[in-house]
mmCIF file of all heavy atoms in Angstrom:
data_model
loop_
_atom_site.group_PDB
_atom_site.id
_atom_site.type_symbol
_atom_site.label_atom_id
_atom_site.label_comp_id
_atom_site.label_asym_id
_atom_site.label_seq_id
_atom_site.Cartn_x
_atom_site.Cartn_y
_atom_site.Cartn_z
ATOM 1 N N LEU A 1466 117.304 113.051 91.023
ATOM 2 C CA LEU A 1466 117.636 113.379 89.690
ATOM 3 C C LEU A 1466 118.742 112.464 89.129
ATOM 4 O O LEU A 1466 119.005 112.560 87.912
ATOM 5 C CB LEU A 1466 118.192 114.713 89.791
ATOM 6 C CG LEU A 1466 117.253 115.895 89.931
ATOM 7 C CD1 LEU A 1466 118.020 117.266 90.125
ATOM 8 C CD2 LEU A 1466 116.168 116.007 88.889
ATOM 9 N N ALA A 1467 119.385 111.490 89.973
ATOM 10 C CA ALA A 1467 120.451 110.651 89.520
ATOM 11 C C ALA A 1467 120.194 109.959 88.219
ATOM 12 O O ALA A 1467 121.018 109.907 87.409
ATOM 13 C CB ALA A 1467 120.834 109.769 90.551
ATOM 14 N N LEU A 1468 119.077 109.406 88.004
ATOM 15 C CA LEU A 1468 118.675 108.641 86.891
ATOM 16 C C LEU A 1468 118.121 109.421 85.656
ATOM 17 O O LEU A 1468 117.514 108.866 84.811
ATOM 18 C CB LEU A 1468 117.766 107.502 87.277
ATOM 19 C CG LEU A 1468 118.220 106.396 88.365
ATOM 20 C CD1 LEU A 1468 117.140 105.560 88.701
ATOM 21 C CD2 LEU A 1468 119.496 105.703 87.726
ATOM 22 N N ARG A 1469 118.100 110.683 85.818
ATOM 23 C CA ARG A 1469 117.558 111.639 84.908
ATOM 24 C C ARG A 1469 116.177 111.242 84.574
ATOM 25 O O ARG A 1469 115.770 110.958 83.431
ATOM 26 C CB ARG A 1469 118.418 111.598 83.610
ATOM 27 C CG ARG A 1469 119.759 112.315 83.856
ATOM 28 C CD ARG A 1469 119.638 113.897 84.104
ATOM 29 N NE ARG A 1469 120.839 114.445 84.287
ATOM 30 C CZ ARG A 1469 121.369 114.904 85.347
ATOM 31 N NH1 ARG A 1469 120.649 114.685 86.605
ATOM 32 N NH2 ARG A 1469 122.405 115.533 85.556
ATOM 33 N N PRO A 1470 115.328 111.336 85.540
ATOM 34 C CA PRO A 1470 113.857 110.881 85.255
ATOM 35 C C PRO A 1470 113.089 112.026 84.506
ATOM 36 O O PRO A 1470 113.457 113.177 84.323
ATOM 37 C CB PRO A 1470 113.369 110.742 86.654
ATOM 38 C CG PRO A 1470 114.116 111.797 87.531
ATOM 39 C CD PRO A 1470 115.435 111.667 86.995
ATOM 40 N N GLN A 1471 111.993 111.592 83.922
ATOM 41 C CA GLN A 1471 111.131 112.590 83.189
ATOM 42 C C GLN A 1471 110.245 113.195 84.152
ATOM 43 O O GLN A 1471 109.842 114.365 84.047
ATOM 44 C CB GLN A 1471 110.348 111.940 82.237
ATOM 45 C CG GLN A 1471 111.071 111.212 80.941
ATOM 46 C CD GLN A 1471 110.086 110.524 80.076
ATOM 47 O OE1 GLN A 1471 108.977 111.071 79.782
ATOM 48 N NE2 GLN A 1471 110.524 109.553 79.416
ATOM 49 N N LEU A 1472 109.835 112.552 85.322
ATOM 50 C CA LEU A 1472 108.822 113.050 86.200
ATOM 51 C C LEU A 1472 109.315 112.866 87.605
ATOM 52 O O LEU A 1472 109.791 111.916 88.036
ATOM 53 C CB LEU A 1472 107.582 112.046 86.105
ATOM 54 C CG LEU A 1472 106.509 112.306 87.116
ATOM 55 C CD1 LEU A 1472 105.774 113.637 86.913
ATOM 56 C CD2 LEU A 1472 105.416 111.199 87.033
ATOM 57 N N LEU A 1473 109.179 114.006 88.430
ATOM 58 C CA LEU A 1473 109.300 114.036 89.838
ATOM 59 C C LEU A 1473 107.956 114.188 90.492
ATOM 60 O O LEU A 1473 107.052 115.075 89.993
ATOM 61 C CB LEU A 1473 110.259 115.109 90.282
ATOM 62 C CG LEU A 1473 111.667 115.144 89.851
ATOM 63 C CD1 LEU A 1473 112.542 116.241 90.678
ATOM 64 C CD2 LEU A 1473 112.235 113.613 90.252
ATOM 65 N N ILE A 1474 107.747 113.317 91.544
ATOM 66 C CA ILE A 1474 106.463 113.436 92.280
ATOM 67 C C ILE A 1474 107.044 113.987 93.577
ATOM 68 O O ILE A 1474 107.578 113.315 94.408
ATOM 69 C CB ILE A 1474 105.770 111.967 92.469
ATOM 70 C CG1 ILE A 1474 105.377 111.637 91.036
ATOM 71 C CG2 ILE A 1474 104.639 112.185 93.342
ATOM 72 C CD1 ILE A 1474 104.454 110.234 90.979
ATOM 73 N N LEU A 1475 106.472 115.246 93.827
ATOM 74 C CA LEU A 1475 107.021 116.028 94.984
ATOM 75 C C LEU A 1475 105.825 116.060 96.021
ATOM 76 O O LEU A 1475 104.905 116.774 95.822
ATOM 77 C CB LEU A 1475 107.436 117.427 94.567
ATOM 78 C CG LEU A 1475 108.491 117.448 93.361
ATOM 79 C CD1 LEU A 1475 108.235 118.639 92.524
ATOM 80 C CD2 LEU A 1475 109.881 117.465 94.152
ATOM 81 N N ASP A 1476 106.007 115.341 96.993
ATOM 82 C CA ASP A 1476 104.988 115.272 98.116
ATOM 83 C C ASP A 1476 105.322 116.044 99.208
ATOM 84 O O ASP A 1476 106.056 115.836 100.156
ATOM 85 C CB ASP A 1476 104.694 113.771 98.551
ATOM 86 C CG ASP A 1476 103.452 113.510 99.334
ATOM 87 O OD1 ASP A 1476 102.770 114.413 99.678
ATOM 88 O OD2 ASP A 1476 103.201 112.383 99.621
ATOM 89 N N GLU A 1477 104.567 117.229 99.285
ATOM 90 C CA GLU A 1477 104.835 118.343 100.393
ATOM 91 C C GLU A 1477 106.392 118.539 100.592
ATOM 92 O O GLU A 1477 106.831 118.435 101.733
ATOM 93 C CB GLU A 1477 104.147 117.810 101.637
ATOM 94 C CG GLU A 1477 102.603 117.618 101.561
ATOM 95 C CD GLU A 1477 101.850 118.943 101.678
ATOM 96 O OE1 GLU A 1477 102.483 119.911 101.845
ATOM 97 O OE2 GLU A 1477 100.577 118.775 101.839
ATOM 98 N N PRO A 1478 107.134 118.750 99.515
ATOM 99 C CA PRO A 1478 108.511 118.802 99.712
ATOM 100 C C PRO A 1478 109.140 119.887 100.623
ATOM 101 O O PRO A 1478 110.208 119.806 100.974
ATOM 102 C CB PRO A 1478 109.076 118.922 98.328
ATOM 103 C CG PRO A 1478 107.986 119.646 97.600
ATOM 104 C CD PRO A 1478 106.729 119.103 98.282
ATOM 105 N N VAL A 1479 108.233 120.900 100.853
ATOM 106 C CA VAL A 1479 108.864 122.155 101.666
ATOM 107 C C VAL A 1479 108.079 122.361 103.009
ATOM 108 O O VAL A 1479 108.325 123.221 103.708
ATOM 109 C CB VAL A 1479 108.855 123.331 100.759
ATOM 110 C CG1 VAL A 1479 109.743 123.209 99.678
ATOM 111 C CG2 VAL A 1479 107.530 123.784 100.395
ATOM 112 N N SER A 1480 107.008 121.468 103.236
ATOM 113 C CA SER A 1480 106.143 121.706 104.390
ATOM 114 C C SER A 1480 106.880 121.434 105.782
ATOM 115 O O SER A 1480 106.524 122.046 106.698
ATOM 116 C CB SER A 1480 104.878 120.791 104.340
ATOM 117 O OG SER A 1480 105.295 119.472 104.275
ATOM 118 N N ALA A 1481 107.865 120.766 105.724
ATOM 119 C CA ALA A 1481 108.598 120.470 106.982
ATOM 120 C C ALA A 1481 109.903 121.533 107.190
ATOM 121 O O ALA A 1481 110.633 121.432 108.078
ATOM 122 C CB ALA A 1481 109.255 119.091 107.080
ATOM 123 N N LEU A 1482 110.003 122.447 106.158
ATOM 124 C CA LEU A 1482 110.968 123.434 106.206
ATOM 125 C C LEU A 1482 110.593 124.836 106.647
ATOM 126 O O LEU A 1482 109.415 125.207 106.519
ATOM 127 C CB LEU A 1482 111.652 123.556 104.888
ATOM 128 C CG LEU A 1482 112.158 122.205 104.316
ATOM 129 C CD1 LEU A 1482 112.702 122.552 102.814
ATOM 130 C CD2 LEU A 1482 113.268 121.482 105.076
ATOM 131 N N ASP A 1483 111.516 125.590 107.086
ATOM 132 C CA ASP A 1483 111.236 127.000 107.444
ATOM 133 C C ASP A 1483 110.788 127.770 106.145
ATOM 134 O O ASP A 1483 111.138 127.274 105.045
ATOM 135 C CB ASP A 1483 112.416 127.831 108.039
ATOM 136 C CG ASP A 1483 112.755 127.266 109.459
ATOM 137 O OD1 ASP A 1483 111.997 126.675 110.012
ATOM 138 O OD2 ASP A 1483 113.966 127.437 109.849
ATOM 139 N N VAL A 1484 110.157 128.848 106.347
ATOM 140 C CA VAL A 1484 109.421 129.404 105.056
ATOM 141 C C VAL A 1484 110.571 129.915 104.083
ATOM 142 O O VAL A 1484 110.509 129.560 102.826
ATOM 143 C CB VAL A 1484 108.534 130.586 105.505
ATOM 144 C CG1 VAL A 1484 108.221 131.597 104.192
ATOM 145 C CG2 VAL A 1484 107.339 130.147 106.268
ATOM 146 N N SER A 1485 111.558 130.606 104.574
ATOM 147 C CA SER A 1485 112.645 131.055 103.749
ATOM 148 C C SER A 1485 113.365 129.899 103.133
ATOM 149 O O SER A 1485 113.731 130.031 101.915
ATOM 150 C CB SER A 1485 113.573 131.978 104.523
ATOM 151 O OG SER A 1485 114.212 131.339 105.634
ATOM 152 N N VAL A 1486 113.665 128.909 103.882
ATOM 153 C CA VAL A 1486 114.336 127.736 103.218
ATOM 154 C C VAL A 1486 113.429 127.026 102.381
ATOM 155 O O VAL A 1486 114.124 126.695 101.094
ATOM 156 C CB VAL A 1486 114.760 126.767 104.442
ATOM 157 C CG1 VAL A 1486 115.539 125.557 103.822
ATOM 158 C CG2 VAL A 1486 115.826 127.527 105.305
ATOM 159 N N GLY A 1487 112.313 126.917 102.578
ATOM 160 C CA GLY A 1487 111.389 126.394 101.608
ATOM 161 C C GLY A 1487 111.298 127.158 100.343
ATOM 162 O O GLY A 1487 111.227 126.578 99.248
ATOM 163 N N ALA A 1488 111.287 128.280 100.360
ATOM 164 C CA ALA A 1488 111.300 129.303 99.223
ATOM 165 C C ALA A 1488 112.539 128.989 98.442
ATOM 166 O O ALA A 1488 112.369 128.989 97.115
ATOM 167 C CB ALA A 1488 111.242 130.718 99.650
ATOM 168 N N GLN A 1489 113.599 128.898 99.054
ATOM 169 C CA GLN A 1489 114.956 128.490 98.277
ATOM 170 C C GLN A 1489 114.817 127.202 97.444
ATOM 171 O O GLN A 1489 115.255 127.071 96.426
ATOM 172 C CB GLN A 1489 116.131 128.502 99.011
ATOM 173 C CG GLN A 1489 116.434 130.040 99.658
ATOM 174 C CD GLN A 1489 117.580 129.900 100.831
ATOM 175 O OE1 GLN A 1489 118.184 128.793 100.962
ATOM 176 N NE2 GLN A 1489 117.724 131.044 101.457
ATOM 177 N N VAL A 1490 114.249 126.288 98.126
ATOM 178 C CA VAL A 1490 114.066 124.966 97.567
ATOM 179 C C VAL A 1490 113.150 124.923 96.387
ATOM 180 O O VAL A 1490 113.252 124.262 95.302
ATOM 181 C CB VAL A 1490 113.599 123.798 98.529
ATOM 182 C CG1 VAL A 1490 113.205 122.508 97.924
ATOM 183 C CG2 VAL A 1490 114.658 123.640 99.554
ATOM 184 N N VAL A 1491 112.048 125.813 96.588
ATOM 185 C CA VAL A 1491 111.083 125.837 95.314
ATOM 186 C C VAL A 1491 111.694 126.550 94.217
ATOM 187 O O VAL A 1491 111.552 126.061 93.047
ATOM 188 C CB VAL A 1491 109.769 126.726 95.937
ATOM 189 C CG1 VAL A 1491 108.976 127.213 94.691
ATOM 190 C CG2 VAL A 1491 108.991 125.962 96.909
ATOM 191 N N ASN A 1492 112.572 127.573 94.345
ATOM 192 C CA ASN A 1492 113.268 128.255 93.316
ATOM 193 C C ASN A 1492 114.212 127.313 92.654
ATOM 194 O O ASN A 1492 114.297 127.277 91.498
ATOM 195 C CB ASN A 1492 113.957 129.493 93.843
ATOM 196 C CG ASN A 1492 112.965 130.652 94.006
ATOM 197 O OD1 ASN A 1492 112.079 130.891 93.057
ATOM 198 N ND2 ASN A 1492 113.141 131.594 94.993
ATOM 199 N N LEU A 1493 114.818 126.489 93.510
ATOM 200 C CA LEU A 1493 115.742 125.412 92.941
ATOM 201 C C LEU A 1493 114.993 124.439 91.993
ATOM 202 O O LEU A 1493 115.370 124.121 91.005
ATOM 203 C CB LEU A 1493 116.461 124.633 94.146
ATOM 204 C CG LEU A 1493 117.151 123.356 93.737
ATOM 205 C CD1 LEU A 1493 118.396 123.787 92.901
ATOM 206 C CD2 LEU A 1493 117.616 122.582 94.907
ATOM 207 N N LEU A 1494 113.815 124.029 92.546
ATOM 208 C CA LEU A 1494 112.890 123.217 91.576
ATOM 209 C C LEU A 1494 112.627 123.787 90.182
ATOM 210 O O LEU A 1494 112.564 123.123 89.249
ATOM 211 C CB LEU A 1494 111.829 122.740 92.375
ATOM 212 C CG LEU A 1494 112.007 121.828 93.516
ATOM 213 C CD1 LEU A 1494 110.634 121.725 94.376
ATOM 214 C CD2 LEU A 1494 112.364 120.376 93.153
ATOM 215 N N ARG A 1495 112.322 125.122 90.347
ATOM 216 C CA ARG A 1495 112.132 125.833 89.067
ATOM 217 C C ARG A 1495 113.259 125.828 88.139
ATOM 218 O O ARG A 1495 113.192 125.619 86.880
ATOM 219 C CB ARG A 1495 111.644 127.236 89.274
ATOM 220 C CG ARG A 1495 110.213 127.408 90.000
ATOM 221 C CD ARG A 1495 109.571 128.698 89.950
ATOM 222 N NE ARG A 1495 109.086 128.924 88.548
ATOM 223 C CZ ARG A 1495 108.423 130.034 88.234
ATOM 224 N NH1 ARG A 1495 108.245 131.034 89.059
ATOM 225 N NH2 ARG A 1495 107.893 130.135 87.092
ATOM 226 N N ASP A 1496 114.534 126.083 88.733
ATOM 227 C CA ASP A 1496 115.622 126.244 87.932
ATOM 228 C C ASP A 1496 115.921 124.716 87.277
ATOM 229 O O ASP A 1496 116.311 124.540 86.142
ATOM 230 C CB ASP A 1496 116.875 126.620 88.817
ATOM 231 C CG ASP A 1496 116.725 128.000 89.222
ATOM 232 O OD1 ASP A 1496 116.010 128.803 88.652
ATOM 233 O OD2 ASP A 1496 117.432 128.397 90.172
#
């Protein structure tokens, strides 16, 4: 986010995380 891009390409960004932690990251992405 540092350069304030228009587009993020998210390649399996939560697949390496525990389910509950991944859910928090997904909600962060929505926010």
Side-chain angles (χ1 to χ4, degrees):
L1466 291 175
L1468 297 172
R1469 290 292 181 259
Q1471 295 181 34
L1472 170 67
L1473 290 189
I1474 296 182
L1475 303 148
D1476 192 354
E1477 301 273 11
V1479 299
S1480 64
L1482 306 177
D1483 292 341
V1484 172
S1485 60
V1486 175
Q1489 292 171 11
V1490 171
V1491 167
N1492 279 322
L1493 170 65
L1494 290 170
R1495 292 197 76 172
D1496 291 343

